[in-house]
Amino acid sequence: MTTYVVTIPGTLLAKRTDATTEILERALRPADPRGTRAGQAEHLEMLTFYSGSSAFSIRLEVEADDTEAAEREARRTVTAALRTAGYAEDEAPLGDAVITGITTE
């Protein structure tokens, strides 16, 4: 297996509160990329909201056999975390997943 850091952009179309952000971060925490060599070297933040907009990006660490599986797993994780935070699918559309780091042992 290979460890991938996957970045997924999105936009919140529903209101974001401190509480929903905290729930989202907690749901994503097991996939925090700062535990990888790439994440430590790059000082990656797991969740970034861009100032003055509702756009965000989420960076995750996933274990997978290939890039397609890594992107699928990352999207599944992000979608589940957004639902846990109370966002319906149409309230938080996601962009294309991008592999932003690869670490092999």
Side-chain angles (χ1 to χ4, degrees):
M1 286 275 204
T2 302
T3 302
Y4 295 89
V5 176
V6 182
T7 301
I8 300 178
T11 304
L12 284 182
L13 302 177
K15 183 177 177 172
R16 176 173 64 107
T17 66
D18 289 342
T20 58
T21 300
E22 184 178 320
I23 293 167
L24 181 57
E25 287 175 337
R26 202 171 326 123
L28 293 168
R29 184 68 50 214
D32 190 339
R34 286 182 277 196
T36 66
R37 282 184 280 173
Q40 291 169 352
E42 301 294 327
H43 305 289
L44 296 177
E45 291 297 324
M46 179 178 57
L47 175 61
T48 303
F49 282 97
Y50 300 100
S51 65
S53 77
S54 58
F56 64 87
S57 62
I58 295 175
R59 289 171 197 80
L60 303 174
E61 169 191 336
V62 296
E63 298 269 333
D65 290 324
D66 57 41
T67 57
E68 280 186 31
E71 290 175 7
R72 276 193 313 273
E73 179 62 18
R75 184 171 290 282
R76 186 198 63 73
T77 301
V78 168
T79 299
L82 287 164
R83 298 309 160 261
T84 298
Y87 295 107
E89 188 173 340
D90 63 339
E91 294 176 319
L94 300 174
D96 293 333
V98 177
I99 303 294
T100 53
I102 300 173
T103 304
T104 57
E105 294 297 319

